[in-house]
Amino acid sequence: MSGAAVNAPEAQNIFLSNFERLAERRSGKDPSWLRAIRQSAIERFAQLGFPHARMEEWRFTSVAPITKIPFQLAEREDQTVTIDQIRPLMFGEPEGQRLVFVNGHFCPEFSQLSSIPQGMIVTGLEQALERYPDRLESHLARYADIEQQAFAALNTAFIADGAFVYIPPGVVVEAPLHLLFLSTAPGPPLVSHPRNVIIVEPNSRVSIVEDYASVNESPCFTNPVTEVVVKENASIDHYRLVRESLQAFHIATQHTHQGRDARYLSYSLALGGALVRNDIRVVLDGEGSECILNGFYLVKDRQHVDHHTRIDHVTPHSNSREFYKGILDERGRGVFNGRIVVHPGAQKISAHQENKNLLLSKQALVNTNPQLEIHADDVKCSHGATIGQLDADALFYLRTRGIDLEAARQILIYAFARDLISRIEIAPVRTEVERALGAKLPDAPAAESAPIN
Amino acid sequence: MLEINNLHVKVEDKEILKGVSLKINAGEVHGIMGPNGSGKSTLAQVLAGRETYEVISGEVLYRGKNLLAMTPEERAREGIFLAFQYPVEIPGVSNLYFLKTALNAIRRHRGLPELDAMDFLAWVREKMKLVQMDESLLHRPVNDGFSGGEKKRNEILQMAVLEPTLAILDETDSGLDIDALKIVARGVNSLRSDERAILLITHYQRLLDYVVPDRVHVLYDGRIVKSGGRELALELEKRGYGWLEEETNVGVVR
């Protein structure tokens, strides 16, 4: 790893000096409202500093590895990626609808949008700030919590580029949109702060795959913030895939705001990265709104993957379902913290949460922690968490039928995950997860012959 | 086919089998009877390769090979099948996939071509008629949510599909009504041939009314204390196990 080790205050100073450079460069371009947001965010970050283990929300996840590396802000000029490096990450669908970003910078030359409905906007945030500043002003940085979350504040200070997706009212977007974020640092370690804004206007529908991948094994820190607004009766399927290298750090903040009868499906699929933290917050702010948060984490080697989710039931008659599963092998470590807050007056809501973990080695570890905060009295809430190992009886049973130990293990591992994986509606994403699972199942393809329902 | 010589087995420091010897030839059906706790299921599990049981001494030869040196999957591929007393539920794995994977693993071992989905379905449908199983059970997860009778029939279906050389049935008749028992018996009888051997472990003699054994053995406190023909089963049914104590000088612990 290049660059001498630093301590946390030094690392913080490096971010602050990076900020000076960025602010100077953006000074002529930013609208005044953004300048103000940027300034208050960096000040807040300077006050907060990096989170530490004495903070409740960071009890099980240390960001010390990130603060020891002098990350430099990734510039557009650092971009050295070629189309040949990107092609294997296209899910085998080179003709698909895709925006490509390298270290957070939008790359139109690698992107492709064949036909998008009238009125729909899909572009880089930097361009969008120039062309649609008014549309962005009411949404950009209005949701993510920079007061409490240091990394969200850091990202907000560095807002420069990312994805901007706008779906006008009454439009159903058929093809899934692939937002591919590539990290690479062939030279010194680099940090990027992608900022994404997704707005789905009333009665519209879209599927988005937000995908983080590495083009090589290099120390990168990706610190994205994604804000999603789902308006009345609109619907979005939002897949979030982290498949970066084992040299990559990934701290993501996601905030979704839902209006009346809005539907939000989130799939967090954490397959790669050395240290991954996903803060996912959903605010159900409209009667009849519904969210489904699904997650799957596959943790091995010395990976550390942390999901902190929070669902706020603000209005009555809102529903949430949360279903996370994790498979942890070798020295992998997982954290699941699922918080559900039912606000005063939010009657007749239902909230169900489940987290199941499968440990495949003695060194693997998971901390799971459901948190219900209920300030209403006519609600249906439930939660459950399990941690288990492969069933020895089932392993033996399979082996007595001629199936060898390794295949029997694979079958049971796949069986553990399959209900979650089978519900992934975008086939190439499902395939990618199966591939990561190493589901080299003996015999016929699993999809054909392993129905469960 | 199977030769067990002076087999001693313990589990968690408790000796369960205290010198079992038994010989089964190809073409024969043997019944093993005995009261609860006599070691019947331990014998079945040890023959299938369960690692939680520790063999202290003795040997088991299967077609002249050292069975105890083989993994459970090797035994299965060499033709041993155990119908479990308590079949294991495996959520998330369909019965169809399970059966096909097992059959093809065994076929590969035997140098036979693997069956594709179509051929396999035809094969398994034929076998399902034998055990009168509803085809919907193929698409359900293995034994998951099956009734007791369905689980037992599913064991017999697996046996019919895998066509073992030595089938061991561990109390497959327990908990079955008479109709289900007849179905199980038919499945077993259809497997009977000069090349195969069958070991029926049972608590009751009624299965032996439908699958007529060549030999019957009584397992009692970890030893085979008496062997005989079919009439031995009838005698046990009539007299229970108490009389064996005097006749065989076996100290009864329980």
Side-chain angles (χ1 to χ4, degrees):
Chain A
M1 203 169 281
S2 50
V6 293
N7 59 32
E10 283 168 359
Q12 199 176 346
N13 284 336
I14 293 171
F15 280 106
L16 296 177
S17 68
N18 277 338
F19 176 76
E20 298 302 326
R21 286 215 308 281
L22 176 99
E24 195 175 315
R25 201 180 63 218
R26 297 281 323 172
S27 62
K29 297 182 185 171
D30 284 347
S32 59
W33 56 266
L34 181 56
R35 262 200 308 275
I37 288 170
R38 194 189 293 291
Q39 193 57 39
S40 66
I42 197 68
E43 284 164 14
R44 188 63 191 149
F45 171 71
Q47 289 162 358
L48 289 170
F50 289 107
H52 48 76
R54 290 186 306 282
M55 300 165 81
E56 180 61 28
E57 296 292 293
W58 293 87
R59 252 194 328 150
F60 299 112
T61 297
S62 165
V63 298
I66 294 175
T67 65
K68 287 192 178 111
I69 299 171
F71 287 106
Q72 293 299 319
L73 186 63
E75 306 289 350
R76 184 174 288 281
E77 303 77 66
D78 295 328
Q79 202 267 97
T80 55
V81 175
T82 65
I83 187 73
D84 290 335
Q85 288 173 296
I86 300 175
R87 213 168 271 123
L89 301 165
M90 291 182 179
F91 295 138
E93 296 196 346
E95 303 306 315
Q97 306 276 65
R98 179 181 309 105
L99 296 192
V100 175
F101 303 79
V102 175
N103 289 336
H105 297 283
F106 175 47
C107 299
E109 67 274 28
F110 300 137
S111 302
Q112 169 168 294
L113 294 168
S114 44
S115 63
I116 59 169
Q118 181 99 38
M120 176 173 164
I121 302 168
V122 184
T123 185
L125 185 72
E126 188 171 15
Q127 288 184 5
L129 279 167
E130 284 170 28
R131 296 175 59 183
Y132 318 102
D134 298 340
R135 233 194 262 288
L136 275 165
E137 185 179 356
S138 50
H139 294 298
L140 178 63
R142 302 297 175 195
Y143 303 99
D145 177 11
I146 67 166
E147 287 307 308
Q148 303 296 326
Q149 296 183 297
F151 287 100
L154 190 59
N155 173 291
T156 302
F158 283 90
I159 286 176
D161 211 347
F164 176 59
V165 179
Y166 174 83
I167 315 295
V171 167
V172 174
V173 184
E174 297 288 351
L177 177 63
H178 186 193
L179 306 176
L180 178 58
F181 295 85
L182 302 171
S183 55
T184 173
L190 295 177
V191 56
S192 62
H193 306 274
R195 184 69 174 220
N196 307 310
V197 179
I198 299 166
I199 300 165
V200 191
E201 293 283 4
N203 306 311
S204 293
R205 177 177 167 80
V206 68
S207 291
I208 290 179
V209 182
E210 185 183 344
D211 179 11
Y212 294 85
S214 301
V215 291
N216 47 31
E217 295 265 336
S218 52
C220 292
F221 172 27
T222 310
N223 179 39
V225 172
T226 301
E227 289 170 305
V228 182
V229 182
V230 197
K231 295 197 183 166
E232 191 176 324
N233 209 35
S235 169
I236 174 171
D237 290 1
H238 183 192
Y239 292 82
R240 194 167 195 295
L241 183 58
V242 177
R243 45 173 175 161
E244 289 174 293
S245 83
L246 293 179
Q247 295 276 311
F249 301 101
H250 186 100
I251 309 272
T253 307
Q254 185 185 312
H255 192 118
T256 298
H257 196 94
Q258 293 182 243
R260 190 184 176 96
D261 296 319
R263 179 189 159 278
Y264 177 62
L265 168 68
S266 157
Y267 244 103
S268 179
L269 304 162
L271 310 175
L275 169 58
V276 175
R277 162 82 172 219
N278 285 320
D279 269 288
I280 296 172
R281 182 163 179 191
V282 178
V283 177
L284 294 164
D285 189 13
E287 291 195 12
S289 57
E290 178 184 59
C291 72
I292 300 165
L293 302 190
N294 290 333
F296 176 63
Y297 41 97
L298 181 64
V299 188
K300 45 194 163 186
D301 202 72
R302 289 173 176 274
Q303 284 178 282
H304 182 112
V305 175
D306 177 347
H307 279 93
H308 265 64
T309 68
R310 174 175 168 158
I311 300 168
D312 282 83
H313 287 265
V314 176
T315 48
H317 296 286
S318 51
N319 299 309
S320 67
R321 298 277 178 281
E322 185 168 15
F323 190 43
Y324 269 68
K325 275 191 172 182
I327 297 176
L328 302 105
D329 201 357
E330 298 169 24
R331 293 179 171 276
R333 187 150 181 199
V335 179
F336 174 81
N337 194 97
R339 193 164 161 200
I340 296 169
V341 182
V342 182
H343 290 232
Q347 307 293 6
K348 308 277 185 197
I349 65 101
S350 86
H352 297 286
Q353 182 192 83
E354 207 175 299
N355 174 230
K356 291 185 173 178
N357 297 281
L358 175 63
L359 299 183
L360 296 178
S361 88
K362 285 195 164 56
Q363 288 81 32
L365 183 67
V366 66
N367 293 98
T368 175
N369 184 29
Q371 291 178 295
L372 296 184
E373 279 176 41
I374 303 174
H375 305 286
D377 54 15
D378 185 12
V379 302
K380 256 191 228 165
C381 293
S382 69
H383 65 82
T386 61
I387 301 172
Q389 288 152 15
L390 286 181
D391 180 352
D393 290 336
L395 271 179
F396 178 62
Y397 191 65
L398 291 168
R399 294 175 76 191
T400 63
R401 301 307 185 241
I403 299 168
D404 67 64
L405 178 60
E406 191 44 44
R409 279 174 55 91
Q410 283 295 335
I411 287 171
L412 293 182
I413 291 168
Y414 186 79
F416 171 79
R418 71 160 274 114
D419 55 346
L420 204 86
I421 295 175
S422 67
R423 280 184 248 152
I424 297 175
E425 284 189 15
I426 300 176
V429 175
R430 195 169 56 234
T431 307
E432 179 68 17
V433 176
E434 284 173 348
R435 199 190 55 72
L437 193 53
K440 296 179 200 79
L441 292 175
D443 234 58
E448 168 217 340
S449 55
I452 183 181
N453 299 322
Chain B
M1 167 103 33
L2 185 73
E3 198 178 325
I4 304 174
N5 294 318
N6 200 22
L7 185 66
H8 291 254
V9 172
K10 68 173 182 179
V11 59
E12 287 168 2
D13 290 335
K14 188 174 189 305
E15 191 169 349
I16 309 281
L17 298 184
K18 302 170 179 175
V20 171
S21 296
L22 182 66
K23 193 172 173 197
I24 304 175
N25 297 313
E28 291 179 348
V29 174
H30 287 225
I32 291 189
M33 299 183 68
N36 284 332
S38 58
K40 301 191 302 291
S41 280
T42 299
L43 179 62
Q45 295 270 317
V46 166
L47 292 176
R50 184 89 203 208
E51 283 146 352
T52 44
Y53 296 91
E54 190 189 334
V55 175
I56 309 166
S57 63
E59 66 170 359
V60 181
L61 298 174
Y62 170 66
R63 299 163 113 184
K65 291 184 200 165
N66 178 7
L67 185 73
L68 299 177
M70 298 183 203
T71 63
E73 54 269 35
E74 283 165 353
R75 299 177 198 206
R77 291 170 190 180
E78 289 287 328
I80 290 183
F81 179 88
L82 169 64
F84 280 55
Q85 184 183 3
Y86 303 110
V88 181
E89 298 184 2
I90 311 181
V93 179
S94 84
N95 219 11
L96 184 70
Y97 175 79
F98 166 61
L99 280 166
K100 179 161 168 273
T101 307
L103 178 63
N104 279 338
I106 288 170
R107 286 179 67 94
R108 271 197 304 277
H109 181 75
R110 292 178 187 165
L112 296 169
E114 293 181 30
L115 295 187
D116 65 21
M118 293 291 283
D119 289 343
F120 176 75
L121 206 57
W123 175 264
V124 77
R125 277 191 179 132
E126 200 56 44
K127 304 295 182 183
M128 288 187 91
K129 282 185 203 150
L130 191 68
V131 291
Q132 295 181 11
M133 243 171 92
D134 192 88
E135 202 176 310
S136 68
L137 293 181
L138 275 184
H139 301 285
R140 298 240 309 263
V142 179
N143 296 325
D144 192 20
F146 285 28
S147 69
E150 284 171 340
K151 284 180 181 173
K152 295 295 175 82
R153 265 189 267 180
N154 202 28
E155 295 292 289
I156 299 303
L157 174 67
Q158 291 167 40
M159 184 178 80
V161 166
L162 301 179
E163 300 189 316
T165 310
L166 172 64
I168 304 158
L169 284 77
D170 187 5
E171 299 207 20
T172 303
D173 53 334
S174 296
L176 294 185
D177 62 37
I178 192 69
D179 289 344
L181 183 75
K182 283 179 182 169
I183 290 167
V184 166
R186 188 166 52 196
V188 176
N189 283 327
S190 73
L191 201 72
R192 258 182 123 147
S193 82
D194 290 344
E195 292 81 43
R196 296 201 176 103
I198 296 167
L199 183 58
L200 300 172
I201 293 171
T202 179
H203 197 66
Y204 313 100
Q205 77 88 34
R206 60 179 190 152
L207 175 64
L208 307 180
D209 287 342
Y210 298 95
V211 184
V212 179
D214 298 295
R215 298 282 292 165
V216 173
H217 312 275
V218 181
L219 188 65
Y220 201 92
D221 193 28
R223 291 180 190 89
I224 287 180
V225 295
K226 197 168 179 68
S227 298
R230 189 195 168 192
E231 66 287 348
L232 179 58
L234 296 168
E235 194 171 359
L236 286 168
E237 179 85 345
K238 218 162 53 199
R239 298 176 63 188
Y241 293 96
W243 59 281
L244 286 163
E245 197 175 336
E246 298 131 44
E247 197 163 299
T248 61
N249 292 325
V250 172
V252 178
V253 182
R254 54 192 67 78

